[in-house]
Amino acid sequence: MMGKQLRYLEIAQTIKTKIRQGVFPQGQCLPSQKELASIFNTSVMTVRGALAELAQEGIVNIIHGVGTFVGTTSVNANTIGLQGFQKEMGNQKRSITNTVLSCEHDITDTRLDKLFCNTDARYSCLTRLRTIDGTPVILQRSYVAQVHKDVFDSYRAEDSLYQYFTSRTGLLVTQGREIMTPILLEDKEKELLKLEGPATAFFSQRVSISLDDAIVLYDEAFLAGPYVIMASRKLGKTSVFKYIINNAGKAEPENSFSDPDLWEDLV
């Protein structure tokens, strides 16, 4: 049993290397499971395990009855995930507006140097404001190495930044990591989010990691405390999160626990 497990992981690593080398480009359909089993001189079941491992990492997309394709868009992680925000708001039938506030270049920051593993590098920053039904809810700043500055210059507010970044750079993002911290907003952020007095927010710091295990995109977002709350449901070993938007600016979690519409898609 142990040998079979090591074999499927070995095959997964070999396929991953071929994707990294461009042998299997983004969007390309991989050979069938039967063909891969012949190539690797193993069983279809072992190949299926290798592909499942790659699908779990977001490297391939398995479409049953069609085939297995090298991923073409950013990873959809089972974290709160800023990149799933627009889709989630659509599911909740919320009207979301994404506005580009600024695009800056030639930024130097030792903090970013540590994240991107660079020295004395320059970066570009895209600042956006998300409004829900006319209410400012999220202020987001995204950073990339300046070699990708054209991505920000040509970005349109109606596009998904993560998918657009992938399509323009050819970098396959296979992992996202996000840390959320409760904070008190500073005056600048309060002004942009149109909040007065002491105001709280979730401060999200997220990195998008490529197939080469390199950080290629860094995001900082302020999620206004009066309007954004989060729900989590744990089933077995799986935990799923989603945003809840409170236009009233007042949380009532006691009522939310028994709301079937809130929990039905948290599976």
Side-chain angles (χ1 to χ4, degrees):
M1 179 67 71
M2 186 63 179
K4 184 176 291 186
Q5 181 185 33
L6 290 175
R7 181 61 176 150
Y8 88 80
L9 290 175
E10 177 185 320
I11 292 171
Q13 184 60 48
T14 300
I15 295 174
K16 186 187 297 187
T17 299
K18 289 183 180 295
I19 293 172
R20 183 183 294 116
Q21 293 172 342
V23 177
F24 298 133
Q26 290 185 43
Q28 177 175 307
C29 184
L30 296 180
S32 69
Q33 293 182 8
K34 186 176 180 180
E35 289 172 323
L36 288 172
S38 177
I39 291 170
F40 289 106
N41 192 27
T42 189
S43 68
V44 170
M45 187 65 70
T46 301
V47 166
R48 192 169 296 160
L51 296 178
E53 182 75 15
L54 294 173
Q56 181 67 28
E57 294 182 37
I59 295 171
V60 301
N61 300 317
I62 300 175
I63 303 178
H64 296 290
V66 179
T68 302
F69 297 83
V70 180
T72 57
T73 59
S74 298
V75 62
N76 289 317
N78 286 328
T79 61
I80 294 163
L82 289 172
Q83 57 206 60
F85 178 77
Q86 190 157 346
K87 179 181 178 182
E88 181 57 46
M89 292 305 97
N91 293 339
Q92 296 180 32
K93 295 181 170 57
R94 300 283 188 174
S95 175
I96 178 173
T97 300
N98 186 26
T99 304
V100 174
L101 300 182
S102 65
C103 182
E104 304 171 74
H105 302 301
D106 292 318
I107 297 170
T108 57
D109 189 327
T110 55
R111 200 172 48 108
L112 296 176
D113 287 343
K114 290 179 181 179
L115 279 171
F116 287 90
C117 296
N118 290 323
T119 304
D120 298 327
R122 294 183 181 275
Y123 304 91
S124 296
C125 174
L126 185 73
T127 301
R128 295 177 291 161
L129 183 67
R130 310 283 189 92
T131 61
I132 306 295
D133 300 331
T135 301
V137 171
I138 297 179
L139 175 66
Q140 183 173 345
R141 299 186 181 105
S142 302
Y143 296 87
V144 294
Q146 192 151 291
V147 66
H148 301 307
K149 61 180 285 188
D150 291 345
V151 176
F152 284 177
D153 283 334
S154 59
Y155 169 75
R156 299 177 302 175
E158 62 267 25
D159 294 330
S160 163
L161 176 61
Y162 304 93
Q163 293 181 6
Y164 188 67
F165 177 83
T166 297
S167 66
R168 285 296 302 273
T169 64
L171 293 170
L172 179 60
V173 175
T174 59
Q175 186 180 165
R177 298 177 185 174
E178 185 174 14
I179 296 174
M180 306 286 286
T181 309
I183 62 168
L184 280 173
L185 287 169
E186 299 290 339
D187 290 342
K188 182 177 181 181
E189 283 74 34
K190 282 196 298 182
E191 180 181 355
L192 291 170
L193 289 166
K194 296 184 180 179
L195 297 172
E196 298 180 353
T200 61
F202 288 112
F203 179 52
S204 165
Q205 296 172 277
R206 180 183 176 89
V207 293
S208 297
I209 301 173
S210 71
L211 185 60
D212 293 323
D213 294 324
I215 292 175
V216 294
L217 186 64
Y218 170 62
D219 293 284
E220 294 181 343
F222 302 89
L223 290 73
Y227 303 111
V228 181
I229 59 177
M230 284 160 283
S232 166
R233 184 179 187 183
K234 183 174 177 61
L235 294 172
K237 296 181 179 180
T238 302
S239 294
V240 185
F241 299 83
K242 71 182 278 188
Y243 289 103
I244 308 171
I245 300 299
N246 257 332
N247 276 6
K250 181 181 179 182
E252 295 180 345
E254 295 81 6
N255 298 330
S256 299
F257 286 123
S258 57
D259 181 358
D261 292 335
L262 171 61
W263 303 100
E264 65 178 355
D265 60 340
L266 278 174
V267 294

